[in-house]
Amino acid sequence: MQQTYVQPEFRVKIDYDKCHKCGRCVQQCGWGVYDFNERPLPHDEKCRACHRCVTYCPAHCITIEKNTLAFRDNDNWSADARKAVWRQADTGGVLLTSMGNPRPYERIFDKLVLDACQVTNPSIDPLREPMELRTFLGRKPDSVAVEMDGKGGYRLAEGAGMKNNVELAVPLIFGPMSYGSVSLNVHRSLALAAERLGILMNTGEGGLHEDLYPYQDNVIVQVASGRFGVTPELLQRGAAIEIKIGQGAKPGIGGHLPGEKVDREVSATRMIPQGSDAISPAPHHDIYSIEDLRQLIFALKEASGYKTVGVKIAAVHNVAAIASGIVRAGADYIYLDGFRGGTGAAPAVVRDHIGIPVEIAIAAVDQRLRDEGIRNQASIIAAGSIRSSADMAKAIALGADVVAIGTAALLSLGCHLCQSCHTGNCSWGITTQKPELTRRIDPEWGAARLTNLVNAWSHELQEILGALGVNAVESLRGSRERLRAIGLGEQTCRILGVKPAGM
Amino acid sequence: MLRRHKLPLELACKALAAPLWSEIDRMPEQEAALMRSVRAVYGPAMLNGPFAIVLGFNGGMVALNDRIKLRPLVAARSGSLVMVASEESAIRAVMPSPEHVWAPKAGEPVIARVKGMDWPIHGDLHLGPAEVSCAVTGVEPACEEAVEVAV
Amino acid sequence: MTDVRHATPVGVTEGYRRISPKVTRDGDIALIDATGVYYEQLNAAVRGAIADGATTVRIEGVNGQRYIGAGIRAPGVRIEAYGTAGNDSAMFADGAEIHVFGNAQDGIGNTMSSGRVVVHGDAGDVLGYGMRGGRILVKGDVGYRVGIHMKAFEKDVPVVVCGGKARDFFGEYMAGGVLVLLGMETQFPEQPLVGGFVGTGMHGGVIYLRGAVEAWQCGGEVGVSTATAEDLASLRPHVEEWAGAFDADADEILAGPFTRLAPMSHRPYGKLYASL
């Protein structure tokens, strides 16, 4: 058989002088990199640089290096471009990958800076003074109708006030990652953490495993085009319901969970035969228009006792008009997933070339909804790629109510962004269903790490708010005046509604 | 808020200087439900940061400062005369010996209404002027009597 | 541009006139009529009287003048202000005995080093901010952020005793000293003894409250306990001093139940940070 032209991306180097010959690396590697014959013998071509072996080697004798083969310089034909052609010539296949778009598009978050108070307004000390992050997810009424309560005060008029909103302790939730793409222990970790943090996790499109029923008040249940695991029970159990139209990593295409990841539990939760591929159609075949979306939204409300129903879309070119239609269709929140959002599996061509940055989408949607006077009718959740509390603060300042994190949550559980989730061999036990791997995540441990991460970001957001001289996160929301751009073009600044630094 | 949303003045003040969530959580349920809605719906209207404002209107005035007391506010009254200022000395320069001088609580409006003058914005929500003529916080005994504000 | 500070005192500044106040001497007592006089001229007259050997400076007609007794290093001297003492009175005070017969505005005893301030009325916000020594006694109610960041070092242990009630952030960031709230001389009998966020960020010193507080009122950094006999013994001299100043019965005050608030840690945020 013809040898592939694609050379190994990494070199696994073992310092055999230090090596204990214990075989831990062999046992830890989910990719089958190591043979063992008196000492571990690596096969470089299988390595994904996930660092599981490096982390667990008791002798610290393993290093992973880039295989820095020289290619004749060509700015046009990068090494990656050449390798992709060879790989496709080898196989005839669509190149599959995972996690978010890694390409060097402009990162707008990194070109925005936040304001702080000096003299004219006091900054506020977030450690000692109240610094409120509580946020309500859902539709707000146009106004609050009140009546006298007969005791000199006021009360809500009959039927008035905010209805069916989900209370979040911080403006951050875990993004949808389906059981199937990730392991049940990951779902358990997310659910436990969501409960402890007073936030939400999201089932993704794979249904809700019954082990998560105790956490149902902290779970968004998702209804996607494949309708996996969607039953009246699921709708009853969620704190909110989300219609997944699209995903930032793969706008316009459906999900595909390979049969290898569909074990007994996954099959039971998704309600499909064990071992069969779980394929989601590209569109919902009952939604070909905004009117159809409205029909599904209200079907879900009817079936769930009028819970909060949100709609998740990928950020695409005409996102503002689409969002306006979604709000008018009755959605209580819009989830905007930017083109850097992660995935458990997507064609590389789609992941890397379709969609727009979430920063642009937030600003465009927030502005459009304000202009149309319907901003109060839906919350905006922003995701696709919130990497830090700074991104969270900037997203909120651009107009988001809440941010969602997926990749950051998985990183806290050990993910090293090796972009190989679709293989089902995740050595960290995250995106796999192999029992010997999934047991590497203990839900208690996972929940503790997720809780640490969110608490740390919450503290940092409070520090930012304090520096801005405000003590409630709603005062940051849509407050683009507190942002400035460094090195963004005039047109981008205009779309973002942000002035350049110095103005 | 007052004109288009028909919000009573007291609640509009609560939207501008919203109670902390922790305070709302401790309120009786009926009041908490109202304040949760006011805060969530009018969150964008919250004046966050330091302020002390005085607003005069046909039929009265309202004074309000921010919810964590980042700016000073002092109120005083003598009979039907109600005054507010950022310093007590400013009040005493005009009214040397007021019956009551007090520092209003942060975020709690001092509202004085002129007896007999309906505030048109209030509409149906407005009780008789005698009943809500003075919602001055802090000096409850004085508050029970209807006041005539002599300006 | 004219340097207004040294301009001929004509016209009106902030509602006051820039004229030297009338000063009369009666033995060791200097009597100053502050009516309508700008603080700069008033405080110059106070310093002048002390330089001239007055041991008591009695200021009448005070209404809002700032910095009364501010920065004065004069142990043994007594300053009496009749009226409403302005913001930052007794700021940086170091040794003098300063009495306010009336209410005191905001920022009294700011960053005070030593001496004693007695307010025979109510006091405003941020009383005793950053105070490092000396005592402040207030007869009545006090405002927000009282005793904020009081601190102690060796023999310098500041003490603040307030006879009335207090608003939020009482003893915020407190790093040392003694802060006492009696809740007795108040114009707000219906309201709670103290607002919320009591001792938030507290990492030193002690707070005594005459009465109880609920858990929600206290910052997360403080431990709350009922004052023991030993605590009350250490509290007694401060209460006696307050009672002496305002003609009250210390035993009666001390008979009430006291709550003691003290920091649970001197490093409350040790676990909040991680190295990058």
Side-chain angles (χ1 to χ4, degrees):
Chain A
M1 200 175 79
Q2 173 81 45
Q3 170 93 12
T4 179
Y5 303 148
V6 181
Q7 297 306 308
E9 203 173 346
F10 306 103
R11 288 207 172 281
V12 181
K13 292 201 168 166
I14 299 173
D15 182 344
Y16 289 113
D17 290 341
K18 286 187 181 171
C19 177
H20 296 177
K21 281 75 174 177
C22 66
R24 181 83 63 90
C25 48
V26 183
Q27 171 215 338
Q28 289 296 324
C29 182
W31 316 103
V33 167
Y34 296 97
D35 279 339
F36 196 86
N37 187 359
E38 292 183 351
R39 60 184 196 173
L41 300 165
H43 296 275
D44 290 347
E45 71 280 6
K46 293 181 180 171
C47 178
R48 307 279 177 156
C50 83
H51 294 189
R52 180 78 189 184
C53 59
V54 174
T55 308
Y56 281 83
C57 172
H60 304 294
C61 70
I62 306 174
T63 52
I64 311 290
E65 293 177 353
K66 269 200 144 163
N67 187 8
T68 52
L69 285 172
F71 287 83
R72 170 79 57 160
D73 283 346
N74 191 319
D75 274 353
N76 189 39
W77 281 98
S78 66
D80 283 347
R82 277 173 258 192
K83 281 193 256 181
V85 167
W86 290 328
R87 187 74 79 192
Q88 293 193 294
D90 288 348
T91 62
V94 170
L95 295 173
L96 209 57
T97 186
S98 313
M99 300 313 287
N101 185 341
R103 288 182 175 257
Y105 292 102
E106 187 160 65
R107 285 183 297 277
I108 294 174
F109 278 137
D110 293 348
K111 297 197 167 183
L112 293 174
V113 287
L114 287 151
D115 193 16
C117 286
Q118 300 287 291
V119 183
T120 52
N121 281 4
S123 50
I124 301 175
D125 188 312
L127 298 180
R128 266 76 48 169
E129 311 243 340
M131 195 54 71
E132 302 184 307
L133 302 183
R134 189 184 298 184
T135 301
F136 286 88
L137 180 66
R139 170 175 300 251
K140 312 293 183 295
D142 294 339
S143 65
V144 177
V146 299
E147 59 191 20
M148 302 296 302
D149 67 359
K151 289 176 274 180
Y154 297 95
R155 64 178 174 228
L156 287 170
E158 183 73 29
M162 178 173 63
K163 295 270 184 309
N164 299 327
N165 270 243
V166 182
E167 182 180 320
L168 304 172
V170 296
L172 180 151
I173 60 176
F174 298 127
M177 290 174 282
S178 72
Y179 171 43
S181 72
V182 298
S183 73
L184 188 55
N185 280 344
V186 170
H187 257 212
R188 287 192 184 108
S189 303
L190 290 164
L192 255 173
E195 184 189 47
R196 289 173 190 172
L197 290 161
I199 61 170
L200 297 170
M201 63 89 76
N202 186 317
T203 60
E205 63 169 312
L208 182 70
H209 190 277
E210 61 183 24
D211 282 8
L212 269 63
Y213 288 177
Y215 310 103
Q216 62 188 32
D217 293 339
N218 296 91
V219 174
I220 295 176
V221 296
Q222 206 181 56
V223 175
S225 60
R227 303 287 156 90
F228 297 113
V230 177
T231 61
E233 172 152 33
L234 178 90
L235 304 179
Q236 293 291 341
R237 287 189 181 279
I241 301 168
E242 181 172 288
I243 300 172
K244 179 201 174 185
I245 301 290
Q247 185 173 345
K250 42 183 175 182
I253 71 168
H256 180 170
L257 184 69
E260 304 90 76
K261 287 174 94 167
V262 182
D263 67 3
R264 220 206 73 76
E265 291 290 305
V266 172
S267 76
T269 306
R270 295 203 174 213
M271 302 167 176
I272 54 168
Q274 196 171 337
S276 78
D277 286 1
I279 298 168
S280 292
H284 289 248
H285 285 281
D286 49 5
I287 306 176
Y288 294 156
S289 68
I290 286 286
E291 292 76 9
D292 290 347
L293 175 66
R294 181 177 183 80
Q295 200 166 302
L296 180 59
I297 289 171
F298 281 87
L300 292 170
K301 290 191 179 198
E302 278 290 324
S304 68
Y306 282 79
K307 282 186 179 163
T308 294
V309 176
V311 174
K312 180 187 176 194
I313 55 169
V316 292
H317 300 184
N318 205 16
V319 67
I322 296 164
S324 166
I326 289 171
V327 174
R328 289 168 192 283
D332 300 313
Y333 71 78
I334 307 177
Y335 184 128
L336 299 170
D337 200 13
F339 80 150
R340 291 186 184 281
T343 175
V349 67
V350 172
R351 183 194 70 175
D352 295 351
H353 300 281
I354 298 184
I356 65 169
V358 72
E359 300 94 320
I360 299 275
I362 299 166
V365 169
D366 178 64
Q367 194 57 52
R368 178 70 172 251
L369 299 184
R370 283 170 191 264
D371 291 347
E372 296 183 2
I374 55 173
R375 178 64 181 86
N376 63 300
Q377 294 183 18
S379 297
I380 296 175
I381 302 176
S385 168
I386 303 295
R387 300 159 299 170
S388 64
S389 57
D391 288 355
M392 167 163 65
K394 292 170 188 176
I396 292 169
L398 284 170
D401 294 82
V402 176
V403 299
I405 57 167
T407 301
L410 297 188
L411 282 168
S412 74
L413 297 178
C415 170
H416 277 55
L417 271 181
C418 75
Q419 305 182 42
S420 310
C421 318
H422 55 287
T423 65
N425 294 326
C426 177
S427 300
W428 291 91
I430 298 169
T431 55
T432 176
Q433 302 303 331
K434 295 181 177 173
E436 68 275 21
L437 297 175
T438 60
R439 68 168 174 248
R440 292 178 178 183
I441 301 240
D442 167 45
E444 274 294 337
W445 168 91
R449 291 185 64 86
L450 290 162
T451 304
N452 277 346
L453 177 75
V454 176
N455 282 339
W457 285 18
S458 300
H459 283 307
E460 290 177 344
L461 180 60
Q462 289 175 322
E463 294 279 359
I464 290 169
L465 292 175
L468 289 165
V470 298
N471 55 15
V473 72
E474 61 254 48
S475 296
L476 176 63
R477 191 190 311 141
S479 189
R480 302 178 200 184
E481 177 53 30
R482 310 308 297 272
L483 290 170
R484 288 291 184 275
I486 298 178
L488 285 174
E490 200 180 333
Q491 183 76 304
T492 305
C493 284
R494 199 157 39 234
I495 293 163
L496 292 171
V498 170
K499 291 177 196 154
M503 278 181 79
Chain B
M1 276 187 282
L2 299 170
R3 209 151 24 89
R4 288 179 55 190
H5 292 199
K6 298 189 173 17
L7 219 55
L9 182 60
E10 292 83 345
L11 292 182
C13 289
K14 287 294 176 192
L16 296 180
L20 299 171
W21 288 117
S22 57
E23 290 172 52
I24 294 173
D25 291 345
R26 289 193 302 271
M27 290 174 182
E29 184 43 40
Q30 180 178 296
E31 195 186 352
L34 173 62
M35 289 319 304
R36 259 196 297 276
S37 281
V38 167
R39 193 162 166 189
V41 173
Y42 298 107
M46 178 160 48
L47 288 176
N48 207 323
F51 69 86
I53 52 177
V54 185
L55 169 76
F57 53 85
N58 271 350
M61 72 170 179
V62 54
L64 178 70
N65 72 345
D66 64 85
R67 63 204 194 121
I68 58 167
K69 195 74 197 286
L70 295 174
R71 288 278 154 86
L73 185 65
V74 180
R77 61 175 287 160
S78 258
S80 63
L81 189 66
V82 176
M83 299 188 73
V84 293
S86 60
E87 294 185 31
E88 182 182 321
S89 55
I91 291 172
R92 289 187 187 273
V94 182
M95 183 164 61
S97 302
E99 286 166 24
H100 298 278
V101 183
W102 77 101
K105 267 181 92 173
E108 284 202 0
V110 175
I111 302 174
R113 293 200 171 96
V114 179
K115 190 176 181 181
M117 280 184 75
D118 272 340
W119 188 25
I121 291 164
H122 246 237
D124 296 334
L125 290 168
H126 204 158
L127 282 181
E131 288 166 273
V132 285
S133 56
C134 179
V136 177
T137 51
V139 282
E140 285 78 3
C143 202
E144 285 163 11
E145 42 185 89
V147 292
E148 195 111 36
V149 178
V151 182
Chain C
M1 286 269 294
T2 319
D3 182 346
V4 290
R5 293 196 317 140
H6 298 108
T8 315
V10 290
V12 174
T13 303
E14 296 161 17
Y16 301 92
R17 281 175 301 160
R18 291 173 169 274
I19 51 169
S20 297
K22 189 178 154 212
V23 183
T24 48
R25 271 303 275 271
D26 178 7
D28 290 341
I29 301 173
L31 193 67
I32 301 178
D33 181 1
T35 308
V37 175
Y38 194 53
Y39 72 79
E40 194 179 339
Q41 285 70 34
L42 171 60
N43 290 325
V46 172
R47 283 191 294 272
I50 293 169
D52 287 347
T55 54
T56 296
V57 180
R58 186 166 296 153
I59 315 168
E60 290 182 334
V62 172
N63 190 34
Q65 284 93 343
R66 296 182 184 196
Y67 319 122
I68 293 173
I72 287 181
R73 307 183 68 176
V77 168
R78 178 182 170 99
I79 299 172
E80 298 174 356
Y82 289 83
T84 301
N87 296 353
D88 281 342
S89 286
M91 186 171 184
F92 308 122
D94 196 0
E97 164 109 4
I98 301 171
H99 284 255
V100 176
F101 295 94
N103 294 337
Q105 294 188 168
D106 299 336
I108 306 304
N110 187 343
T111 325
M112 180 173 164
S113 285
S114 71
R116 193 164 90 132
V117 176
V118 183
V119 178
H120 300 258
D122 297 338
D125 298 340
V126 207
L127 176 81
Y129 173 20
M131 191 180 170
R132 78 184 87 211
R135 279 111 65 221
I136 300 177
L137 309 173
V138 178
K139 184 178 187 191
D141 295 316
V142 293
Y144 286 76
R145 299 186 173 80
V146 165
I148 182 169
H149 218 305
M150 283 169 68
K151 52 179 72 67
F153 177 68
E154 295 183 346
K155 281 185 293 181
D156 292 328
V157 179
V159 177
V160 175
V161 186
C162 310
K165 296 186 174 180
R167 301 290 199 187
D168 296 356
F169 307 108
F170 191 70
E172 184 180 17
Y173 305 84
M174 192 167 161
V178 183
L179 185 54
V180 185
L181 186 64
L182 302 177
M184 301 171 80
E185 293 283 342
T186 181
Q187 59 168 317
F188 304 115
E190 305 300 315
Q191 294 194 11
L193 174 62
V194 64
F197 303 96
V198 181
T200 179
M202 187 177 181
H203 52 291
V206 61
I207 298 175
Y208 288 106
L209 306 171
R210 190 173 186 273
V213 281
E214 302 201 31
W216 66 262
Q217 289 177 281
C218 301
E221 299 84 358
V222 295
V224 181
S225 59
T226 303
T228 62
E230 198 180 329
D231 296 332
L232 292 175
S234 74
L235 176 61
R236 175 170 280 279
H238 309 310
V239 169
E240 283 178 344
E241 187 176 0
W242 186 88
F246 302 114
D247 203 17
D249 181 347
D251 289 326
E252 195 182 310
I253 297 168
L254 284 163
F258 274 88
T259 303
R260 179 181 191 270
L261 273 64
M264 291 188 287
S265 163
H266 296 290
R267 304 204 52 213
Y269 309 109
K271 287 183 180 161
L272 186 67
Y273 301 104
S275 296
L276 191 64

